[in-house]
Amino acid sequence: MKIPRFIPAEVSELEPFVTAGVFGSTEVQAVTTFVRAAASQGDAVSRDVIIAAALAVRAPMHGHVCVDLRTIASTVVGNQDFSSGALTDDEVDSTGALAGEEDSGLDQDKDSTGDPVLDQQQLLDNLKWPDAKTWLQAVTRSSLVRVVTSGDSASDSSIDLATQLQPLVIEDGRLYLTRFWSLERYVAADLLHRSQAATVEQEEQTSDGVSLRDRVIAMMQLLMSSIGHSADSVSLLAPSAEDEVERLFIAAAGSGPVDKDQLEASLAGVHRNFVVISGGPGTGKTTTVATFLAGLVSSMQPPAGSGSNSTNQATQRIALAAPTGKAAARMTEAIRKAINNLGDALDSEVARELGELEASTIHRLLGASPGTGFRHNPSNPLPHDIVIVDEVSMVSLSLMAHLLAAIRPDAKVVLVGDPYQLASIEAGAVLGDIVGIGSGGGAVAGTAPPAAIAESIRVLTTVHRQGEDSGILKLAECIRQGDADGAIEILKGAHEDVIWVDPTNPDHKGEKIQAEQDLKDAATKVVTAAQGENAEIEEALKEILSVKVLSALRRGPTGVDHWNQLVENYLRTEELKGYSDWYAGRPVMVTKNDYLNKVFNGDVGVAIAKEDLNRDDRFQVWFERAEGNQMVEATRLDQIATQWAMSIHKSQGSEFDHVVVSMPPPPSRILTRELLYTAVTRAKKKLTIVATEESITEAIKREVARSSGLAARLENPSS
């Protein structure tokens, strides 16, 4: 463990906590700044406050928004802790230790003086924490801390400049950095405001005596008039939108039953300005969104003979967004597929216009610019009337606050996602808090959304992708429920779509060889399709998504690098590649947004040889796009990686026919329930898990728990 050589005298109380791995240089430097600022005003900072301040700085680094001083002493662990889910696979080595620890100058058993290094748990156990009974009182008396009582946070009108400059806030026992307290409060207030509008069915009277139905119709009439349609043509717009949604669902179901959860979620989108559509893979989240949009836009069509024949200006008022480029591309593709599936039930003009909708990353939607923040904000809001965001589980508290701030208060906001997947690597578990499972919610059956926004939450439960006898579906449910015994029973059972490979079990040797061979066969097809003058680009793009290894780690015998090397060694022995990094069929994953070349973090393309020459400048990389495949010269791509295998974190927003999940042996602090669930639910047809029983059990039993006050604020608006 790397121990800082110098800790300023002002914060010397932190040294044993640094030695135990609780704090690092970031916390030390930040708290030193706080203490020196207080000293310049003649205020002394006690040991209790110094430790509390360091914990507040530490919290967002581990995915937490705040820290609960009442329980932190019994729950905090060293900086190798992955229970928060904030750290990614790239930050750990093959043993599950923090990346960079092997460079600390210490061997595994002794420190630089030759003395044995104490076991970290022993160091943690020996820490002298402040007295829990008086700690909170000491913190509230500090000049560094602003004390907020529930209900007082709604207005800043009485806050003077000195108060605003306080770096810490404490509210209901939760200690925040001021920035994260402000972000959490803003998100809660915005969501409460958007969700408290009554539904159309309620016909509640507003303060001026105008019914909400009339307000909705008036709003839509204003929209229609702004795009050149007659206001008279939408006098009954709200009910016709509802009718259109119901008609489209019935038409799509054919002779089968309509999914009532999907229908209710779509109707909620029609009637409410804030809706969350939650559900696991295959439950029809995209179908629900597409049908809602189709019904809404169809109802905006002018009557026959009105002289208007275009709805494109209406669709221009709709924004689709996702956290990553890959997720945005998949959202675009899925929406278009769902629209096409409506077939003749949807007007051809409406289908064409909706088919031209294209999702962007949230950062691009907001007009992110390095060093200048976002172009769209409360003073320059987005022009859209409807904003739909997919894969919201990956959206951090900070990004959600900026997004909501840029959306007009009267616009519709639809959030879509699976709250049981991995949360953002930054602070917050916004989707989990909104639907009622955040902050270590425990048993799934007992969860419920916060009362104040419950009417805005719609949960889809019926899986349409796999059949009821699907082993993948059953396994995912056991993982989601935290049922390790049930998961192992399914893995041991006879399910054609689920294969278990225990590396320590000689009887599983054949299954492991078969998984490796499936990957090699897919790689051979990719390379073959990408070679020669008549390269089959479509086939190559299809095959790179057919079999994919998802690993919890980057390095080590179970990591991404190992599996990538396995495939490339095989291709070399088959004379399908040379020793260059570039070769025909190389799957190329973009690892950083590249706006110049219009490729984004998570995008995956395939290298195609321009000529039969083994030179890097003779390759093009083709990326699949719904509107037509995109080509980028290989020499123009910088931040990329080979992707026969990929990390589970980077797989979010993707799907593959056959997924091979590779997990490290315990103890590995990266193993969590959310990590395994995310990996398993990437598989569409076949799943192979390469892991010991101990690894699987440990992952399922370790649930991510992030400290946050968002759910409490949404449960009780006065908080």
Side-chain angles (χ1 to χ4, degrees), residues 238-259:
S240 67
E242 179 179 341
D243 293 343
E244 279 295 293
V245 167
E246 292 181 345
R247 181 186 67 80
L248 290 172
F249 266 106
I250 293 172
S255 58
V258 172
D259 187 318

Side-chain angles (χ1 to χ4, degrees), residues 402-448:
H402 283 98
L403 175 63
L404 293 174
I407 301 175
R408 299 194 327 268
D410 61 329
K412 286 183 179 291
V413 176
V414 180
L415 305 181
V416 185
D418 183 350
Y420 296 95
Q421 290 187 29
L422 287 165
S424 165
I425 62 173
E426 298 179 16
V430 177
L431 183 60
D433 287 334
I434 290 174
V435 302
I437 67 165
S439 304
V444 174
T447 61

